[in-house]
Amino acid sequence: MDWLNAIIQGILLGGLYALFAAGLSLIFGVMRLVNIAHGDLIVLAAFLGLMITTTLGINPLLALFVAAPQMGLFGYALQRWVLNRTLGDDILPPLLVTFGLSVIIQNGLLEVFSADPQKLNAGSIETASIAVPGGINIGVLPLLMFVTAVAVIAVLQWIFYRSALGRAFRATSDNQDIAQLMGLNKSHIFGLAMALSLVVVAIAGIFLGIRTSFDPAAGPARLIFGFEAVIIGGLGNLWGTLIGGIILGICQNIGAQINPGWQLLAGHIAFLIILAVRPRGLFPRVDG
Amino acid sequence: MSDTQQYAIDRFSPASRIAAVAALVLIIALACGPWWAGRADMRLLSELFLYMALASLWNLLAGYAGLVSVGQQAFVGFGGYCLFAMTMFFGIPPLMAIPVAGVAGALISIPVAFLIFRLRGAYFAIGTWVIAEVFRLSAAQISALGGGSGTSLPVTIVKSIASSRALREAASYWMALAILVVVLAIVCLLLRSRRGLALTAIRDNELASQSLGIDIWRAKFFVYVLTGGLTAAVGALIFLQKLRISPDAAFSVNDWTAFVIFIVVIGGIGTIEGPIVGTIIFFLLRETLADLGALYLMILGLVAIVIMLRAPKGIWGFVRQKTDLDLFALSRRVVTRKKHQSSHANEDNKGEPHEPQTT
Amino acid sequence: MSDGFLEIDALSSYYGDFQALFDVSMQVGEGEVVAVIGANGAGKTTLMRSITGLLSNEAAMVRYRGQAIGGLRADQIATLGLSMVPEGRQLFPSLSVEENLIIGGQIGRRGPWGLEAVYRLFPVLKERRSQQSTSLSGGQQQMVAIGRALMANPDLLLFDEISLGLAPIIIKTIYEALPGIIGGGMSAIIVEQDITRAINVSHRVYCLQEGRVSLEGSSKTVSREAISNAYFGV
């Protein structure tokens, strides 16, 4: 029964990883940008949640509604005034600038909040659980995270394929020049994509902070989990990313079940195996 | 009526000839370090040499082969762990263990390359990071080397390098200088070879060089394995000097990749001089600003971003643009010569008329 | 002739160090159709990219209705009523036919053109409205590209290489539709390699050769000999 439990908890954990991954996947889809600072932005959002909960004295789940627009605005500004200047044929500038950003965020958080681990306290919901037949308890919080992840991906999917904004995203991604001729300002479109990405990052960051303790150095690991979920699921496929996150979560929990030291290693190895066997991921997008 | 001009390919400019002589003098002067430098200075210089070597290798990888790795700490740590394992378990002398670690690093980089070469561009970068994480987590599982908390090099092994402390420190200094010279020599020779020319072509235009019949995959693979091996050798020496190893220190992304990337970006990526200039600037900054702690790192990150946005060729690129200096005699330049001065340069001519003059 | 609708004044354009246009001057009047002809590499596409803002220039080099637009971004110029059917169609592959059309109209200028008007012009597109644009034939793709440009309700429509790579029967269809498109008083610049068609459809013609204007004249009066001299630089 431990194993079944490990798998179920792994699936729920996978929802969180899909949240880490969704924002990364979104901006890659729109502007081929891989944001090395993505994980650090997740941790930044967690610290932002901490500040909001302590100053306003509200539950972190409510703080999300304050943090998300702030992160979105920050994302728009970051894209328009910094990252847009790096985009072009050369992959080096965006990579190195976001890498520099990652170091700045990590050390900025260290300077302000010290290296002590922090946690967001969501109150009684953290310990509540639902008993299901077979002696397995499903935590309300992990379930909420999973449902949120599914909802976030459904919304992103809808925006991308059904809304005017998504049409603009896809058009700009297909052909920047021609999109400009249609009156789309690509700097603005890219800014909106990053804003949306950081709104998702805010959700991911707050959930991360409720689920586990975090410190300024916790970012890179989150970037890597998100990245692995994206590659396992297949580039450019949001639902695939969710499945990628679930696979990662299950593998980590099974690894931990065998030996606590193997938790992260098992996830990485699963990723490397999929990379070796199916380098385009399990569900790559079929380009028409 | 002017003389017909003839064209030849020349790599040495007067500046690079002077630089070659100056470099030789500098190396000899540095090799005499133990006689003129204090203990602390030698330690600082050793560290500088090792960072310069790491930066030159990363520059070769990212600036020439276009393989932007943020996971070279995998090889630094792997080299360090190899050295500890070989000296402690197999009794291999530490000095021997360094080249062996280099070979081991090159060998392990082969399967790694097969895996992560499936990822493109920026995803390749994160892939290298995953590999480094796998190495770190695996090292933490080796209980004979202290698991997650690491281990120190036994005194007997330390003493086997040299009997007196002064001599050990001198030896360690010389090794750092030697490995830097070896790395720089290999990078220079590689870039001046046919293969280097192919790499430069790939850097300038991957698609065009593919159509010229350059096997890009093989060229990149070769550079990846070479830098993997050399980085592991440098890593072995780094941890021989530290005398203590732990997974977090050995596979630190900040120490072995972030700093190295900043050095190369600040100095100038895609030039041999860049990492050298960058390392010197990095150490000057560090010695003056290190008291600021986290703030210092933020400044470093900010400087790197500003340079990447404003002067993407770095400080050396800026100098070069202004002066056309090329100290390592790498670029081939077409020089014009008066006809009577040159009789051997005709093979390289293209499209220029050089029939005898009819005056 | 020059009513200040579109004036290009001593335009020079560069790709990096390479100069593609040298002091090109041309005018397009309101309601006028101008043909631009020239051999491959003469600078026709560069001229189109400069007018639409895909290549940036000094502001005063391109003036539209008296406004210096040479320094504006392509999306800003588009909102002023300039629209282009680009060379090689360049539809958005991840958008359906209808989405391609809708995105063409998203700047929201008022005018006669809308989805229904485009479907009346090219009924076949209505049948294929939900297909991916890449699944269409070359001629149908050109129809989408034209429809997409019309959706913006432009005052000046640029056709870059209107018939390049299309079958003769398709070219004929497109040219038959052309009066219905630009008949309503719209100005147009048509880049075309087929000299006869270019002259028949236009009021005036410019010939480019190696980045310079080698001929300018009324389509009715210009002689074939003058054109071929200007075209081939004899």
Side-chain angles (χ1 to χ4, degrees):
Chain A
M1 216 34 85
D2 284 351
W3 291 97
L4 185 61
N5 190 43
I7 290 170
I8 291 173
Q9 306 307 334
I11 293 172
L12 297 179
L13 177 61
L16 185 63
Y17 291 166
L19 281 177
F20 294 163
L24 200 63
S25 186
L26 175 81
I27 53 164
F28 182 79
V30 176
M31 54 187 136
R32 300 287 175 271
L33 174 77
V34 174
N35 182 3
I36 301 266
H38 189 76
D40 303 293
L41 288 162
I42 292 173
V43 174
L44 178 71
F47 275 104
L48 184 63
L50 183 70
M51 270 170 64
I52 295 167
T53 48
T54 48
T55 49
L56 300 181
I58 55 172
N59 190 294
L61 290 171
L62 283 174
L64 180 58
F65 293 94
V66 186
Q70 287 180 341
M71 289 299 288
L73 276 176
F74 175 62
Y76 185 83
L78 181 68
Q79 185 66 39
R80 288 225 54 172
W81 284 294
V82 181
L83 298 179
N84 271 341
R85 294 160 187 247
T86 68
L87 296 178
D89 293 333
D90 191 356
I91 63 150
L92 209 56
L95 207 63
L96 297 187
V97 167
T98 55
F99 193 71
L101 192 66
S102 151
V103 171
I104 291 175
I105 295 172
Q106 275 183 43
N107 288 286
L109 290 173
L110 193 62
E111 193 81 356
V112 178
F113 296 96
S114 85
D116 298 338
Q118 307 281 352
K119 200 172 164 312
L120 297 176
N121 186 355
S124 57
I125 193 175
E126 285 189 31
T127 48
S129 68
I130 304 163
V132 289
I136 291 167
N137 283 315
I138 293 179
V140 171
L141 191 68
L143 191 63
L144 177 69
M145 285 181 197
F146 187 80
V147 172
T148 308
V150 174
V152 163
I153 285 175
V155 168
L156 287 179
Q157 190 82 10
W158 182 85
I159 290 176
F160 219 70
Y161 292 102
R162 294 277 174 270
S163 76
L165 180 63
R167 206 157 52 220
F169 282 162
R170 281 179 290 142
T172 313
S173 166
D174 280 351
N175 190 332
Q176 295 184 12
D177 276 357
I178 305 297
Q180 296 262 88
L181 289 181
M182 303 296 130
L184 297 170
N185 179 358
K186 70 176 176 191
S187 304
H188 177 64
I189 300 287
F190 289 165
L192 291 178
M194 186 55 90
L196 192 57
S197 168
L198 289 208
V199 167
V200 179
V201 157
I203 301 171
I206 300 262
F207 277 148
L208 170 75
I210 297 172
R211 196 193 127 84
T212 161
S213 65
F214 56 92
D215 61 77
R222 271 72 222 174
L223 166 73
I224 288 176
F225 296 155
F227 159 76
E228 288 175 337
V230 170
I231 300 286
I232 292 174
L235 276 179
N237 182 341
L238 281 170
W239 289 116
T241 299
L242 177 64
I243 296 174
I246 290 172
I247 291 174
L248 194 62
I250 292 174
C251 290
Q252 286 189 359
N253 272 11
I254 290 179
Q257 192 75 22
I258 300 169
N259 176 339
W262 290 358
Q263 183 186 357
L264 300 180
L265 206 51
H268 294 323
I269 287 168
F271 160 75
L272 292 176
I273 289 171
I274 286 176
L275 189 60
V277 186
R278 295 197 57 156
R280 300 197 55 199
L282 296 177
F283 312 99
R285 186 177 65 178
V286 191
D287 288 313
Chain B
M1 290 291 137
S2 68
D3 288 5
T4 2
Q5 299 222 295
Q6 295 236 323
Y7 298 83
I9 306 299
D10 194 359
R11 288 200 291 213
F12 283 96
S13 62
S16 69
R17 277 176 227 277
I18 296 168
V21 176
L24 203 65
V25 174
L26 187 66
I27 290 170
I28 293 168
L30 286 173
C32 300
W35 287 280
W36 54 262
R39 180 177 282 167
D41 294 333
M42 268 168 56
R43 205 167 289 153
L44 188 68
L45 279 174
S46 303
E47 205 190 345
L48 185 142
F49 298 154
L50 293 170
Y51 262 107
M52 209 177 265
L54 287 179
S56 297
L57 289 168
W58 189 82
N59 179 47
L60 177 66
L61 201 59
Y64 285 93
L67 293 166
V68 187
S69 165
V70 291
Q72 288 308 92
Q73 69 273 21
F75 296 106
V76 174
F78 180 80
Y81 267 94
C82 268
L83 179 111
F84 273 59
M86 282 185 291
T87 51
M88 287 166 69
F89 304 150
F90 305 109
I92 296 175
L95 292 186
M96 275 295 294
I98 292 170
V100 178
V103 172
L107 287 177
I108 193 98
S109 73
I110 292 172
V112 169
F114 274 105
L115 264 183
I116 56 168
F117 273 34
R118 293 157 173 261
L119 296 165
R120 296 267 130 234
Y123 277 116
F124 170 85
I126 309 182
T128 61
W129 204 343
V130 174
I131 297 289
E133 280 298 289
V134 170
F135 279 32
R136 180 177 70 84
L137 294 165
S138 306
Q141 297 295 315
I142 307 171
S143 46
L145 287 171
S149 50
T151 188
S152 296
L153 207 57
V155 181
T156 47
I157 294 172
V158 178
K159 291 224 163 121
S160 76
I161 302 170
S163 49
S164 81
R165 182 171 170 179
L167 211 55
R168 272 203 301 276
E169 280 173 348
S172 142
Y173 172 85
W174 281 324
M175 281 188 286
L177 179 61
I179 209 160
L180 170 64
V181 171
V182 167
V183 163
L184 283 178
I186 289 178
V187 170
C188 271
L189 287 176
L190 173 73
L191 290 178
R192 294 185 58 174
S193 70
R194 240 182 93 77
R195 219 177 218 134
L197 208 58
L199 278 179
T200 314
I202 294 170
R203 178 191 63 178
D204 291 344
N205 190 335
E206 184 155 335
L207 214 66
S209 43
Q210 196 160 27
S211 64
L212 288 173
I214 295 171
D215 187 338
I216 291 172
W217 196 94
R218 267 180 60 182
K220 290 187 170 187
F221 177 78
F222 176 78
V223 171
Y224 189 78
V225 172
L226 180 73
T227 51
L230 288 171
T231 305
V234 175
L237 186 50
I238 287 172
F239 286 94
L240 181 60
Q241 298 198 338
K242 288 190 186 289
L243 302 178
R244 188 177 159 72
I245 200 165
S246 70
D248 288 345
F251 299 96
S252 160
V253 63
N254 270 345
D255 290 350
W256 314 127
T257 294
F259 290 161
V260 167
I261 290 180
F262 290 157
I263 286 172
V264 178
V265 169
I266 291 170
I269 192 163
T271 61
I272 294 207
E273 295 90 345
I276 297 171
V277 175
T279 311
I280 294 167
I281 292 171
F282 173 76
F283 273 80
L284 286 175
L285 276 176
R286 198 181 78 171
E287 293 308 301
T288 48
L289 298 176
D291 294 343
L292 297 174
L295 207 57
Y296 156 67
L297 290 168
M298 290 174 74
I299 292 171
L300 206 59
L302 203 62
V303 169
I305 288 180
V306 169
I307 287 196
M308 206 68 226
L309 291 177
R310 298 277 163 181
K313 296 270 171 235
I315 288 171
W316 189 256
F318 186 74
V319 171
R320 194 171 182 173
Q321 196 187 344
K322 296 280 171 208
T323 61
D324 199 30
L325 269 180
D326 178 17
L327 300 184
F328 281 84
L330 272 179
S331 52
R332 293 158 171 82
R333 56 190 76 210
V334 179
V335 293
T336 52
R337 296 180 181 169
K338 297 284 156 93
K339 190 191 173 196
H340 58 269
Q341 285 177 326
S342 136
S343 53
H344 62 272
N346 279 9
E347 306 91 54
D348 287 314
N349 292 3
K350 251 191 204 150
E352 288 293 334
H354 47 265
E355 56 276 344
Q357 253 189 310
T358 53
T359 40
Chain C
M1 190 171 73
S2 172
D3 54 6
F5 182 69
L6 179 76
E7 286 179 278
I8 295 163
D9 183 26
L11 173 70
S12 294
S13 288
Y14 301 83
Y15 289 107
D17 292 334
F18 174 73
Q19 185 166 5
L21 293 179
F22 300 82
D23 288 334
V24 169
S25 293
M26 80 186 264
Q27 295 84 36
V28 179
E30 192 143 19
E32 190 180 33
V33 178
V34 166
V36 176
I37 58 175
N40 275 335
K44 296 170 303 204
T45 292
T46 309
L47 179 62
M48 295 300 110
R49 291 177 64 86
S50 296
I51 296 171
T52 51
L54 289 177
L55 276 176
S56 74
N57 301 288
E58 281 174 40
M61 284 179 173
V62 186
R63 303 182 76 85
Y64 174 72
R65 294 185 188 280
Q67 183 188 354
I69 62 166
L72 297 183
R73 295 192 314 265
D75 57 291
Q76 295 170 318
I77 291 176
T79 57
L80 298 174
L82 271 78
S83 195
M84 176 155 82
V85 181
E87 180 182 354
R89 278 81 74 188
Q90 305 202 42
L91 302 181
F92 299 111
S94 36
L95 271 58
S96 69
V97 168
E98 186 154 298
E99 283 180 316
N100 265 284
L101 296 175
I102 292 172
I103 211 145
Q106 68 97 37
I107 52 175
R109 282 172 58 88
R110 284 168 192 281
W113 293 101
L115 270 182
E116 283 314 310
V118 171
Y119 288 148
R120 268 199 303 279
L121 181 67
F122 300 121
V124 63
L125 297 186
K126 189 166 189 174
E127 296 161 28
R128 318 217 157 195
R129 61 206 285 176
S130 52
Q131 288 185 15
Q132 292 299 111
S133 51
T134 43
S135 68
L136 302 186
S137 71
Q140 289 165 348
Q141 289 193 18
Q142 183 69 301
M143 292 172 194
V144 179
I146 292 172
R148 185 178 64 179
L150 288 173
M151 288 288 288
N153 279 303
D155 298 329
L156 173 62
L157 187 54
L158 288 74
F159 291 90
D160 194 2
E161 301 287 10
I162 186 169
S163 55
L164 193 72
L166 296 179
I169 176 90
I170 304 291
I171 299 174
K172 193 160 166 279
T173 316
I174 301 268
Y175 270 98
E176 277 164 8
L178 213 52
I181 295 168
I182 52 185
M186 198 185 282
S187 307
I189 300 178
I190 295 177
V191 172
E192 174 59 274
Q193 304 228 4
D194 183 332
I195 296 169
T196 311
R197 285 200 186 280
I199 288 172
N200 286 344
V201 79
S202 63
H203 302 113
R204 283 189 308 117
V205 61
Y206 286 83
C207 187
L208 289 183
Q209 192 202 336
E210 289 176 0
R212 294 178 171 84
V213 174
S214 57
L215 174 89
E216 175 194 348
S218 160
S219 306
K220 301 282 170 294
T221 57
V222 69
S223 76
R224 293 299 298 232
E225 196 187 0
I227 289 181
S228 61
N229 281 349
Y231 200 101
F232 300 108
V234 180

